């Protein structure tokens, strides 16, 4: 048996006719930029998340960069970010001429450690970017209160958390701005790059819409110096189809996660990542912690045709790009980077495939 980490073809085959029809329609329709499907998707996605506005942009990195820019923070302001995120959260902050302050995560959930956040707030802190990594969240009520108490902006990086909840509210509705990626492998993925920004703030939305469309709302009237980052019409039409299936796919991911948990329950060599109370996750990734012999396990599984990946092997502050921060010690993030392993996870993964993965993990550890 070959178990791919992700098999997008299975998803495509399950919605092939609908997708093909929409693609042909868009190709015949010739409205490739700022077409109707983009507006429709923006409306549908705003409604799905529960914000007043949604703006489609080129990708999740641009969503972060443009979203941060809309906040109009003084140059050099401090931005608190967890150190175990994908690098885009950091690069988009740096490109806005802001100073990153890395925070640690809670060992059990691997989500932002709010005690550490509170310790790291200074008079220069203006923004907290929380990343709903793996499709989970931290205690969002407490985080919102910390931001209120200290007059800080909150931005949610929802690139891995489309459709997840905290306290019966969708992730992406807690911050001033929330950003999404539609990279093909995400829970809601396009057939190329794509991203979106959600907000309830009309002023931010109007600015971002202009800025991402070369500074203009009306063609050739450039009110500000903008840039070009728009969600393609073709990608929007694909996302319009897929959005109808997102809740179903997320529920399937939760079911797969429960099966993994049940099968691995008695193996004391691994720990399954914990979910914060009141969070309904969407398992963009299913991550386990392995305290010994991780590299040997990876090889053992690979020899048996089972793909696994580490998200992420190098914490942001230890990357070459952020060499200024290399000497920092962010305890749990560093510890976890040597223990984490993501197992195959997608809605179309079959139960017998999960059983095969777990059997092999149990055989390896003899647990
Ligand atoms: C995927 C991802 C991004 C970047 O999205 P792109 O669409 O690839 O630019 C940003 N943040 C996180 C946490 C991600 O997982």
């Amino acid at each position: 048996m070959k178990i791919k980490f992700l098999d997008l073809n299975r998803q495509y085959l399950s919605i092939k006719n609908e997708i093909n029809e929409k693609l042909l329609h868009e190709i015949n329709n010739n409205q490739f930029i700022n077409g109707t499907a983009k507006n429709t998707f923006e409306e549908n996605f705003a409604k799905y998340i529960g914000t007043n506005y949604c703006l489609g942009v080129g990708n999740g990195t641009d969503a972060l960069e443009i979203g941060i820019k809309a906040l109009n923070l003084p140059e050099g302001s401090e931005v608190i970010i967890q150190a175990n995120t994908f690098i885009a959260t950091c690069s988009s902050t740096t490109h806005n001429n802001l100073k990153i302050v890395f925070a640690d995560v809670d060992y059990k959930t691997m989500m932002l450690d709010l005690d550490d956040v509170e310790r790291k707030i200074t008079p220069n802190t203006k923004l907290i970017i929380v990343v709903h990594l793996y499709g989970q969240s931290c205690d969002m009520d407490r985080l919102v209160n910390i931001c209120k108490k200290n007059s800080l902006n909150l931005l949610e990086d929802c690139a891995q958390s489309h459709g997840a909840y905290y306290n019966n509210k969708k992730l992406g509705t807690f911050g001033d701005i929330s950003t999404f990626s539609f990279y093909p492998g995400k829970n809601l993925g396009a057939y190329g790059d794509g991203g979106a920004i959600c907000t309830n703030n009309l002023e931010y939305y109007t600015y971002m819409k202009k800025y991402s469309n070369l500074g203009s709302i009306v063609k050739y009237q450039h009110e500000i110096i903008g840039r070009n980052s728009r969600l393609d019409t073709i990608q929007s039409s694909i996302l319009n189809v897929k959005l109808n299936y997102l809740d179903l796919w997320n529920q399937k991911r939760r079911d797969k996660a429960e099966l993994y948990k049940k099968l691995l329950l008695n193996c004391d060599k691994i720990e399954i990542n914990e979910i914060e109370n009141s969070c309904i996750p969407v398992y963009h990734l299913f991550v386990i912690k392995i305290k010994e012999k991780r590299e040997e396990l990876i090889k053992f599984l690979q020899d048996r045709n089972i793909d696994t990946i580490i998200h992420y092997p190098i914490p942001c502050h230890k990357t070459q790009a952020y060499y200024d921060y290399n000497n920092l010690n962010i305890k749990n993030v560093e510890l976890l980077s040597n223990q984490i392993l993501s197992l195959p996870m997608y809605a179309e993964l079959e139960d017998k495939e999960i059983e095969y993965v777990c059997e092999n993990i149990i055989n390896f550890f003899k647990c």
Side-chain angles (χ1 to χ4, degrees):
M1 213 185 301
K2 160 81 189 163
I3 320 274
K4 287 194 202 171
F5 188 76
L6 175 62
D7 186 346
L8 288 174
N9 200 51
R10 287 188 193 177
Q11 188 196 61
Y12 169 61
L13 291 177
S14 74
I15 51 172
K16 189 173 170 180
N17 292 340
E18 268 182 282
I19 293 280
N20 289 1
E21 194 188 305
K22 287 286 192 295
L23 277 177
L24 281 177
H25 168 79
E26 292 306 338
I27 293 165
N28 281 302
N29 199 36
N30 277 281
Q31 277 192 350
F32 296 111
I33 305 296
N34 289 337
T36 321
K38 177 176 184 268
N39 294 331
T40 309
F41 176 70
E42 289 170 339
E43 277 168 29
N44 289 342
F45 198 64
K47 198 166 153 210
Y48 177 81
I49 295 299
T51 53
N52 292 345
Y53 311 102
C54 167
L55 176 72
V57 294
N59 53 65
T61 307
D62 281 357
L64 281 159
E65 220 171 292
I66 295 166
I68 295 168
K69 191 166 171 66
L71 297 171
N72 198 20
L73 303 174
E75 196 172 321
S77 300
E78 291 172 15
V79 180
I80 298 178
I81 303 176
Q82 66 213 63
N84 65 343
T85 183
F86 181 59
I87 200 72
T89 322
C90 305
S91 57
S92 55
T93 303
T94 307
H95 284 311
N96 271 291
N97 300 315
L98 303 169
K99 181 174 182 254
I100 297 172
V101 175
F102 285 113
D104 207 348
V105 296
D106 174 69
Y107 182 82
K108 283 195 186 136
T109 63
M110 302 198 243
M111 298 298 114
L112 188 58
D113 174 350
L114 300 183
D115 292 329
D116 197 43
V117 166
E118 285 194 307
R119 279 192 291 273
K120 285 176 175 163
I121 293 172
T122 75
N124 285 329
T125 310
K126 295 285 181 272
L127 169 65
I128 296 176
I129 303 183
V130 63
V131 184
H132 304 311
L133 206 65
Y134 311 146
Q136 316 169 202
S137 82
C138 65
D139 177 344
M140 290 304 292
D141 288 341
R142 184 175 162 206
L143 178 57
V144 166
N145 279 331
I146 292 172
C147 290
K148 276 200 186 126
K149 204 172 80 193
N150 296 281
S151 308
L152 306 177
N153 281 125
L154 178 61
L155 189 151
E156 301 175 71
D157 181 345
C158 300
Q160 303 189 2
S161 67
H162 322 68
Y165 289 86
Y166 180 82
N167 242 347
N168 299 317
K169 259 185 82 181
K170 283 244 170 73
L171 297 182
T173 59
F174 291 86
D176 299 286
I177 282 187
S178 57
T179 64
F180 293 83
S181 163
F182 305 122
Y183 182 86
K186 302 284 159 99
N187 288 38
L188 179 60
Y191 291 158
D193 275 315
I197 312 168
C198 290
T199 184
N200 285 325
N201 184 311
L202 178 60
E203 207 179 309
Y204 295 154
Y205 170 73
T206 311
Y207 171 79
M208 295 188 296
K209 194 173 159 97
K210 238 185 259 177
Y211 180 71
S212 64
N213 192 42
L214 298 141
S216 74
I217 297 285
V218 179
K219 203 166 185 174
Y220 301 132
Q221 291 185 20
H222 305 281
E223 302 171 35
I224 56 171
I225 302 172
R227 50 170 291 196
N228 179 359
S229 182
R230 302 172 293 219
L231 184 63
D232 273 10
T233 309
I234 284 184
Q235 300 303 344
S236 304
S237 73
I238 289 162
L239 291 167
N240 272 325
V241 172
K242 287 195 180 191
L243 184 57
N244 294 325
Y245 295 92
L246 182 57
D247 285 339
L248 175 73
W249 290 337
N250 282 341
Q251 185 52 47
K252 285 190 176 176
R253 285 173 182 266
R254 283 191 286 268
D255 295 343
K256 312 287 159 198
E258 288 316 309
L259 182 58
Y260 266 126
K261 286 181 192 179
K262 192 177 110 194
L263 297 173
L264 295 173
L265 186 69
N266 293 322
C267 185
D268 58 2
K269 300 291 183 204
I270 63 169
E271 247 179 63
I272 287 154
N273 194 36
E274 288 185 24
I275 307 295
E276 182 73 34
N277 282 336
S278 308
C279 172
I280 302 177
V282 292
Y283 291 102
H284 173 58
L285 298 169
F286 186 79
V287 183
I288 59 175
K289 298 167 202 165
I290 300 156
K291 293 194 173 150
E292 54 188 83
K293 296 200 197 148
R294 181 181 64 171
E295 306 317 311
E296 289 94 320
L297 174 66
I298 293 170
K299 184 167 183 309
F300 183 88
L301 295 176
Q302 197 58 72
D303 288 346
R304 282 149 189 83
N305 274 321
I306 300 168
D307 296 343
T308 57
I309 306 183
I310 298 167
H311 297 91
Y312 297 93
I314 306 173
C316 296
H317 65 291
K318 296 290 181 192
T319 58
Q320 202 181 337
Y322 282 98
Y323 62 88
D324 275 357
Y325 293 87
N326 285 180
N327 290 331
L328 272 184
N329 182 296
I330 312 274
K331 196 173 130 254
N332 287 336
V333 169
E334 288 172 38
L335 185 65
L336 285 163
S337 70
N338 293 313
Q339 297 184 351
I340 47 178
L341 188 65
S342 309
L343 302 179
M345 171 55 83
Y346 42 101
E348 299 78 16
L349 193 64
E350 289 177 27
D351 287 359
K352 65 173 193 294
E353 294 174 309
I354 295 178
E355 284 160 14
Y356 179 71
V357 174
C358 294
E359 265 165 36
N360 278 291
I361 294 174
I362 290 167
N363 281 346
F364 175 79
F365 282 120
K366 306 199 176 17
C367 56

